[in-house]
Amino acid sequence: MADQRIKGPASYFPSIEKTYGRPIGDWLQIVRDRLPAKHMEIVSMLKSEHALGHGHANAIVAYVMAEAKD
């Protein structure tokens, strides 16, 4: 069977945990607690209040937003 790689926003999760020292579940809950705010408003909050990089913040928000649509 071929190596199944994680794709999309979740592919950033191991790096986010390593870089910021918190489990991804914590970050996902922070974003969920801000809903129904707009995508970029939450990205900006993660960057300003938690010092996340843009790519990491965007990945977390994109994941939660996609999850919310299901």
Side-chain angles (χ1 to χ4, degrees):
M1 185 175 269
D3 181 15
Q4 292 185 355
R5 293 188 170 194
I6 298 172
K7 296 181 180 178
S11 67
Y12 286 86
F13 291 176
S15 177
I16 292 167
E17 289 182 330
K18 182 178 177 183
T19 302
Y20 305 103
R22 290 177 77 166
I24 197 64
D26 289 359
W27 297 114
L28 298 176
Q29 191 58 51
I30 289 169
V31 172
R32 287 181 192 118
D33 291 345
R34 294 292 179 124
L35 293 177
K38 293 183 180 182
H39 182 105
M40 289 309 296
E41 290 173 351
I42 302 172
V43 169
S44 295
M45 177 276 298
L46 289 171
K47 291 169 62 176
S48 65
E49 294 181 21
H50 299 282
L52 266 71
H54 182 82
H56 286 162
N58 192 57
I60 295 167
V61 176
Y63 184 87
V64 172
M65 295 285 194
E67 176 185 75
K69 288 182 181 179
D70 291 340

